[in-house]
Amino acid sequence: MADLHIKINRDKGGIAGQIASELRDSIRGGRLAPGTRLPATRDLATDLQVSRGVVVEAYEQLVAEGFLVSRVGVGTQVTPKTAARVNNTRQRGTAPPRPKPVRRAPGTPACAPYYGHRPTSPDLSHFPRERWLAAVRHVLTTVPSDALDYGDPGGVPELREELAGYLRRVRAADVRPENLVIVGGVAQGLSLVLHVLTQHRTLRLAVEDPTSNRQAPLLRRAGAHLVPVPVDEQGLDVRKLSGDAVLVTPAHQYPTGVVLSPPRRAALMEWAYAGNRAILEDDYDAEFRFDRDPVGCLQGLAPDRVILSGSVSKALAPGLRLGWVAAPAELAEAIRRARGELDLGSPVIDQYALAHFLRTGGYDRHLRRMRREYRRRRDALVRALAEELPEVRVKGIDAGLHVYLELPGDWDELRTVRAAQELGLSAEPVGPMRELPGPPALVVGFARLPAHKAAEAVWGLKVRMSGQSVD
Amino acid sequence: MADLHIKINRDKGGIAGQIASELRDSIRGGRLAPGTRLPATRDLATDLQVSRGVVVEAYEQLVAEGFLVSRVGVGTQVTPKTAARVNNTRQRGTAPPRPKPVRRAPGTPACAPYYGHRPTSPDLSHFPRERWLAAVRHVLTTVPSDALDYGDPGGVPELREELAGYLRRVRAADVRPENLVIVGGVAQGLSLVLHVLTQHRTLRLAVEDPTSNRQAPLLRRAGAHLVPVPVDEQGLDVRKLSGDAVLVTPAHQYPTGVVLSPPRRAALMEWAYAGNRAILEDDYDAEFRFDRDPVGCLQGLAPDRVILSGSVSKALAPGLRLGWVAAPAELAEAIRRARGELDLGSPVIDQYALAHFLRTGGYDRHLRRMRREYRRRRDALVRALAEELPEVRVKGIDAGLHVYLELPGDWDELRTVRAAQELGLSAEPVGPMRELPGPPALVVGFARLPAHKAAEAVWGLKVRMSGQSVD
């Protein structure tokens, strides 16, 4: 049994988070070796003089993140770094059937409009205009002239410093400023990563199925060959995974809204380590988890294997075109060099403004306010659906800016989407997001649907869809 | 003899410019057909009741831009669209020796630091911070929320509208908003153009020699095979041109500072039309011509063959990462689509701010002020060089933010650069910008060298270089 040396600051609050953070650091630092058994929650609670529920919460968080595994009869232990789990997931019985690679003519877009409002767009009427302007004013009245010259294509150092702290704190990422490249959003982040990864070899990139159909043309243009892998209630089905790398949305799968389960996280890690493969983690809306703290990012678990991409598109506005890639230092340097030879980096004023916004707490305050608001909106929509349209199944966790609605088998996907759009809802069919067969479903964004209008919208949908066999 | 139907507004001033503009429109619109002879300057001056010098100035402008040709015994005529000039320039005697393609290991940078101050950087202590902030304030207090959502990857329509007007007016470009794609500067503009042009074929891209050694890695990364073509006092030596496309800096060749001569402009057009080849025009600092109006861009002469790239990097600040590509509509659409699948476009707030800055005249006012200032600085530097270092030859036209200094044959290029840098000058050796042999030379930026310090700087250089054979 390990001696954990956990230090708690009782004045700070968030005791479970503190315990989780201390344990995470110990596992990363090697002080808690893979396979080490942890004390029973009851014992640790007594040692630390906290309630048992607090320790349970900390353990659960780390299990969800993949640092710990918990098994009946064995207790909780630090995730072993053996290939044992690969055997569990991949060699049980015969090999899983390999899905066919996706075929689509190069350059053929998978979706018609390539800009405008999306189901994942935030409510931009809440964009903090005054506070953003104040941040820009701060920048323009304080930065030295040289800051406006040709800049580091990897991004403004002040922003990388602030972001590294933010991602460590909020996403449990294992990241330092030199791992970060500031980019123009997740799309550019992925383009650049694939540009570098495909420079000297072909890359078979496994993608979740269903997945955002906006990304497929982007991934192909960047040189990747896509291999769809099915997603179920536990997220990506790792047993069916093949390819040289994988693109996943572990915190909140797009579009299904499920979270990658702890065994799957562990299996995914094993897959990556077993074949020296890369995991591209798209952390597109992890700021918005409503029922609990978001699951820490995969990158924090395996910073040498995982390339994390995120942006301010959901937290602030897509129009800012501001995001980041966190990658192992060598790859980060290759991406930075690529940007130095592609577009010389992102505009600097907004980078300084975001650094200021992060440093002064404006970003966190805005997120807290929006989280409360979006939670109300999601709750209202889900409640209205349960009351008026119980045959429509809301899937996925309590998070993000969209819900995934599985429709009764006899509903027409496109008709439902059109009906939703007529009601002013931001809706998209899931069909075009699939290569593999699946039930009819749609994605509905709720960020712009005020809570008090949810019932009316769902009622309208019910009316429209009840007449579906009439006209 | 053509009836020219020239309308002059005598209240507006700039009569020569008005005449040139009317003639240009007539040539473009086909009202003045290729080969049409123009009236003698004396006759047209009498007709229009202006002084003859004004007509001469207008004709000269259009000759410089390639719309007109002027030959002894023939007079001035609209440039004929025959292949005759190709014969003049390419089939005289034997074919020119084809230069060897540039060879350099992929990914090897041609220059060490890939960011920071450059000889072409503007004086950023003059960046109009307050007026830029006012423009951002205007944007953030007026644009609708939807403007902050996922935007048109081709750029904000308001900016394309303003820019099209600006480029027509100031650069004599033949451009409408649908020809424009807003990009993150000339580097990204070139990357995107080459990305699209190399998608389905290999592209042999002729480049000026010497040329910016920062661009070579960029051009190669984008998939082009480079073919150097020598530059002389008249600019790119079109007789020695080979390849599928060419990248030129006709208004102010970088680094030599020469302007592409009217016969060469015509020959270059013929070359492009004869082989269905593309001309990539890098208009990097055309805002700063001090002795006369800048020569109109090539794009205005052949909008179906020329792809124009420019940015606000010299006029405002490189850190804004804001520029444009003007291309034939079909290619512009392909570039826009590419951006929609690479990075979803440039950030929108600065785009709206630039549109506001252009619309309200802030951009023009800033340029006028900076033009006066840079002219003083260049004059002072050139005067000091002529007085103290007459053996150093200042080449190129009275324009831009840098001078090209040809050194005596026994001066060491790198030593001279180091001496200049020790004096705080922004200097770079020309050697690394060449593939073909050439005399020792360096580029010195004068944007940050106040006029009253030029003599001291040149004196310091003289002292350092006079001791060059001592240590």
Side-chain angles (χ1 to χ4, degrees):
Chain A
M1 199 68 72
D3 187 354
L4 298 181
H5 300 294
I6 291 174
K7 287 184 213 78
I8 294 176
N9 179 347
R10 279 166 211 283
D11 301 335
K12 270 181 68 185
I15 306 290
Q18 289 184 45
I19 296 171
S21 174
E22 293 265 311
L23 286 173
R24 203 186 281 118
D25 288 347
S26 296
I27 296 168
R28 273 185 193 146
R31 292 184 297 282
L32 283 174
T36 307
R37 282 186 58 198
L38 262 60
T41 51
R42 191 182 309 272
D43 297 338
L44 184 56
T46 308
D47 279 2
L48 297 176
Q49 298 183 292
V50 299
S51 77
R52 188 179 159 220
V54 165
V55 177
V56 169
E57 191 183 334
Y59 279 19
E60 281 180 355
Q61 177 74 16
L62 295 176
V63 167
E65 291 175 15
F67 286 96
L68 301 178
V69 287
S70 190
R71 267 179 282 181
V72 177
V74 180
T76 303
Q77 61 179 154
V78 179
T79 309
K81 289 242 169 181
T82 66
R85 207 166 305 94
V86 174
N87 294 339
N88 286 348
T89 53
R90 304 198 66 198
Q91 295 180 6
R92 184 183 293 160
T94 57
R98 205 170 108 188
K100 281 186 298 183
V102 180
R103 278 193 201 85
R104 195 175 276 142
T108 310
C111 58
Y114 48 60
Y115 64 95
H117 194 71
R118 302 182 178 180
T120 56
S121 289
D123 183 352
L124 292 162
S125 70
H126 283 77
F127 179 78
R129 294 184 184 223
E130 279 183 36
R131 275 162 288 146
W132 189 256
L133 179 62
V136 173
R137 184 185 305 115
H138 174 82
V139 172
L140 284 173
T141 51
T142 58
V143 295
S145 296
D146 283 347
L148 303 171
D149 214 328
Y150 291 97
D152 184 335
V156 162
E158 285 84 343
L159 176 57
R160 287 189 284 144
E161 185 74 42
E162 287 298 329
L163 259 182
Y166 173 80
L167 294 170
R168 278 197 301 267
R169 178 166 55 81
V170 173
R171 301 297 299 126
D174 187 355
V175 61
R176 284 178 299 182
E178 60 266 33
N179 300 118
L180 285 172
V181 180
I182 306 302
V183 296
V186 169
Q188 188 179 34
L190 291 175
S191 291
L192 285 168
V193 169
L194 291 173
H195 168 80
V196 169
L197 293 182
T198 59
Q199 256 185 325
H200 303 296
R201 59 160 180 168
T202 56
L203 187 87
R204 294 177 63 241
L205 179 68
V207 291
E208 297 166 322
D209 191 299
T211 192
S212 163
N213 55 340
R214 288 192 181 80
Q215 273 184 352
L218 180 153
L219 303 173
R220 285 199 199 91
R221 186 179 283 269
H225 300 267
L226 306 191
V227 187
V229 178
V231 165
D232 62 21
E233 307 287 334
Q234 292 192 64
L236 182 83
D237 192 342
V238 180
R239 294 164 305 181
K240 297 181 179 162
L241 193 51
S242 79
D244 311 306
V246 63
L247 171 61
V248 278
T249 48
H252 189 220
Q253 204 273 331
Y254 191 84
T256 65
V258 301
V259 69
L260 191 66
S261 72
R264 292 279 175 84
R265 284 172 80 99
L268 188 59
M269 291 295 119
E270 294 290 350
W271 177 84
Y273 280 108
N276 199 26
R277 302 178 182 106
I279 297 173
L280 281 59
E281 178 175 23
D282 179 354
D283 209 29
Y284 67 103
D285 71 357
E287 301 87 354
F288 299 115
R289 174 102 192 216
F290 308 126
D291 53 342
R292 47 166 287 175
D293 280 346
V295 173
C297 62
L298 281 180
Q299 191 273 349
L301 200 59
D304 55 336
R305 288 285 96 207
V306 181
I307 302 152
L308 174 75
S309 299
S311 79
V312 303
S313 292
K314 320 305 176 206
L316 288 172
L320 288 176
R321 306 309 314 128
L322 199 46
W324 51 85
V325 170
E330 202 178 324
L331 181 60
E333 176 56 26
I335 297 168
R336 176 171 171 263
R337 184 173 290 273
R339 274 211 95 179
E341 295 175 4
L342 285 168
D343 62 9
L344 312 191
S346 288
V348 298
I349 295 176
D350 283 351
Q351 288 190 64
Y352 282 108
L354 179 60
H356 181 73
F357 210 52
L358 283 163
R359 188 167 48 240
T360 56
Y363 194 75
D364 282 319
R365 274 193 299 277
H366 180 67
L367 276 178
R368 277 199 298 276
R369 186 166 38 241
M370 295 315 296
R371 211 177 279 127
R372 279 196 301 274
E373 187 57 40
Y374 292 141
R375 176 179 204 163
R376 267 198 292 275
R377 295 181 187 194
R378 186 180 191 279
D379 286 351
L381 175 61
V382 170
R383 205 179 314 118
L385 283 163
E387 284 170 14
E388 297 294 344
L389 284 171
E391 64 271 45
V392 170
R393 213 176 129 221
V394 180
K395 287 188 73 174
I397 57 169
D398 194 4
L401 304 179
H402 75 277
V403 287
Y404 178 93
L405 304 182
E406 211 166 272
L407 303 176
D410 59 342
W411 283 34
D412 182 73
E413 210 176 79
L414 283 180
R415 251 205 85 186
T416 317
V417 166
R418 273 197 299 273
Q421 287 171 343
E422 281 164 22
L423 292 158
L425 296 174
S426 179
E428 286 183 359
V430 171
M433 306 185 195
R434 294 185 199 283
E435 294 290 330
L436 308 170
L442 72 158
V443 162
V444 175
F446 55 78
R448 293 206 299 189
L449 180 66
H452 68 274
K453 294 202 172 166
E456 183 188 329
V458 171
W459 178 255
L461 192 63
K462 181 180 183 173
V463 169
R464 276 172 172 76
M465 295 314 294
S466 67
Q468 78 165 338
S469 49
V470 177
D471 72 26
Chain B
M1 199 70 69
D3 188 354
L4 300 181
H5 300 295
I6 291 173
K7 287 184 212 78
I8 294 177
N9 179 346
R10 278 166 213 283
D11 301 335
K12 268 181 70 185
I15 306 292
Q18 289 185 44
I19 296 171
S21 174
E22 293 265 313
L23 286 173
R24 204 186 279 119
D25 287 347
S26 296
I27 295 168
R28 275 187 190 143
R31 292 184 296 283
L32 283 175
T36 309
R37 280 185 58 196
L38 263 60
T41 51
R42 190 183 310 269
D43 296 339
L44 184 56
T46 307
D47 280 2
L48 297 177
Q49 298 183 294
V50 298
S51 77
R52 189 179 159 220
V54 164
V55 177
V56 169
E57 192 183 335
Y59 278 20
E60 280 179 355
Q61 178 74 16
L62 295 175
V63 167
E65 291 175 16
F67 285 96
L68 300 180
V69 285
S70 190
R71 267 179 281 180
V72 179
V74 181
T76 303
Q77 62 179 152
V78 179
T79 308
K81 290 241 171 185
T82 67
R85 209 166 304 96
V86 175
N87 295 340
N88 286 348
T89 54
R90 304 199 66 198
Q91 295 179 5
R92 184 181 293 160
T94 57
R98 205 169 108 189
K100 279 187 298 183
V102 180
R103 276 192 203 87
R104 196 176 276 144
T108 311
C111 57
Y114 49 60
Y115 64 97
H117 194 71
R118 301 182 178 180
T120 57
S121 290
D123 182 352
L124 292 163
S125 69
H126 283 77
F127 180 78
R129 294 184 183 221
E130 279 183 37
R131 275 163 287 145
W132 189 256
L133 179 61
V136 172
R137 184 185 303 116
H138 174 82
V139 172
L140 284 173
T141 52
T142 57
V143 296
S145 296
D146 283 347
L148 302 171
D149 215 329
Y150 291 97
D152 183 335
V156 161
E158 286 84 342
L159 176 56
R160 286 188 285 143
E161 185 74 44
E162 288 298 329
L163 259 182
Y166 173 80
L167 293 171
R168 279 197 301 267
R169 178 165 55 80
V170 173
R171 301 297 300 126
D174 187 356
V175 62
R176 284 179 299 184
E178 61 266 32
N179 299 118
L180 284 172
V181 180
I182 306 301
V183 295
V186 168
Q188 187 178 36
L190 291 174
S191 291
L192 285 167
V193 169
L194 291 174
H195 169 79
V196 170
L197 292 182
T198 59
Q199 257 187 324
H200 303 296
R201 59 161 179 167
T202 55
L203 186 86
R204 293 176 65 241
L205 178 68
V207 291
E208 297 166 323
D209 192 297
T211 191
S212 163
N213 55 337
R214 289 191 181 79
Q215 273 185 352
L218 180 153
L219 303 172
R220 286 199 198 90
R221 186 179 284 269
H225 300 268
L226 307 191
V227 187
V229 178
V231 166
D232 61 22
E233 306 287 336
Q234 292 193 64
L236 183 83
D237 191 342
V238 180
R239 292 164 304 179
K240 297 181 179 162
L241 193 51
S242 79
D244 311 306
V246 64
L247 171 61
V248 276
T249 48
H252 188 221
Q253 203 274 332
Y254 191 84
T256 64
V258 300
V259 67
L260 192 65
S261 71
R264 291 277 175 88
R265 283 172 79 100
L268 188 59
M269 291 295 119
E270 294 290 350
W271 177 83
Y273 279 108
N276 199 26
R277 302 179 183 106
I279 297 173
L280 281 60
E281 178 175 23
D282 179 355
D283 210 30
Y284 69 103
D285 70 357
E287 301 87 353
F288 298 115
R289 174 103 193 214
F290 307 126
D291 53 341
R292 47 167 285 177
D293 279 347
V295 173
C297 63
L298 281 179
Q299 191 274 348
L301 200 59
D304 55 336
R305 288 286 95 207
V306 181
I307 303 153
L308 174 75
S309 299
S311 80
V312 303
S313 293
K314 319 305 177 207
L316 287 172
L320 287 175
R321 305 308 316 128
L322 199 46
W324 50 86
V325 170
E330 200 177 326
L331 181 62
E333 176 56 26
I335 296 169
R336 175 170 170 264
R337 186 172 288 275
R339 273 212 95 178
E341 294 176 4
L342 285 169
D343 63 8
L344 313 189
S346 288
V348 297
I349 295 177
D350 284 350
Q351 288 189 64
Y352 282 108
L354 180 60
H356 181 74
F357 210 52
L358 282 162
R359 188 168 45 240
T360 55
Y363 195 76
D364 282 320
R365 273 194 300 278
H366 180 66
L367 275 178
R368 276 199 298 277
R369 186 166 37 240
M370 296 314 296
R371 211 175 280 127
R372 277 196 302 274
E373 186 57 40
Y374 291 141
R375 175 179 205 164
R376 266 198 294 275
R377 294 181 188 196
R378 186 180 191 279
D379 286 351
L381 176 61
V382 170
R383 204 179 314 117
L385 283 164
E387 283 170 14
E388 297 294 342
L389 285 170
E391 64 271 44
V392 170
R393 211 175 129 221
V394 179
K395 288 187 73 175
I397 57 170
D398 194 4
L401 304 178
H402 75 278
V403 286
Y404 178 93
L405 304 181
E406 210 166 271
L407 305 175
D410 59 341
W411 283 34
D412 182 73
E413 208 175 83
L414 284 180
R415 253 207 82 187
T416 317
V417 166
R418 272 197 299 275
Q421 287 171 341
E422 282 165 20
L423 292 158
L425 296 174
S426 179
E428 286 183 358
V430 170
M433 305 184 195
R434 296 186 197 282
E435 293 290 331
L436 309 171
L442 74 158
V443 162
V444 175
F446 54 79
R448 294 206 297 189
L449 179 66
H452 67 275
K453 293 202 172 169
E456 184 188 329
V458 170
W459 178 255
L461 191 63
K462 181 180 184 176
V463 169
R464 276 171 172 76
M465 295 313 292
S466 67
Q468 78 164 338
S469 48
V470 178
D471 72 28

